[in-house]
Amino acid sequence: MKRYYIIYKGQVQGVGFRWRLMNIAKKYNLTGYARNLYDGDVEVEVQGNGVDEFLKESLEQDYYVVIEDYAVKLIDLNTSENSFKIVY
């Protein structure tokens, strides 16, 4: 099991991107959160056995979401989580 800290840059706010991330996380039974940052980026912490698949699927772009750049860092596990949520 792994936990990633991910920052997505581009057209990622106001386009349903966090909701899409939550659905991908549920698909792979992952925990963590997604949050909009003040600079227009989206911050994510995601944990579980399918984090690599989550990352790959999250980078798929559509008409609304345009990911210009992203950064991924492996971080320590958080054993107290039991779901993936959108943080406001």
Side-chain angles (χ1 to χ4, degrees):
M1 181 165 21
K2 297 188 261 186
R3 183 176 186 89
Y4 286 158
Y5 176 79
I6 310 168
I7 296 288
Y8 297 92
K9 298 180 177 291
Q11 185 176 307
V12 291
Q13 288 191 17
V15 292
F17 184 56
R18 291 175 300 153
W19 292 99
R20 189 172 87 184
L21 294 175
M22 186 172 64
N23 287 329
I24 298 169
K26 285 181 180 180
K27 176 179 175 180
Y28 295 106
N29 199 28
L30 304 176
T31 63
Y33 70 87
R35 169 176 40 210
N36 283 346
L37 299 177
Y38 291 108
D39 62 1
D41 297 345
V42 170
E43 170 187 70
V44 173
E45 287 192 20
V46 63
Q47 172 175 299
N49 291 321
V51 292
D52 292 316
E53 292 83 358
F54 171 92
L55 179 61
K56 182 179 177 183
E57 198 167 327
S58 74
L59 294 173
E60 294 175 5
Q61 301 187 56
D62 60 27
Y63 182 77
Y64 300 103
V65 175
V66 178
I67 299 169
E68 296 171 357
D69 197 13
Y70 69 98
V72 181
K73 181 167 80 170
L74 188 62
I75 59 174
D76 293 335
L77 297 176
N78 180 344
T79 57
S80 66
E81 290 177 333
N82 57 15
S83 65
F84 189 94
K85 59 188 172 195
I86 295 174
V87 178
Y88 296 95

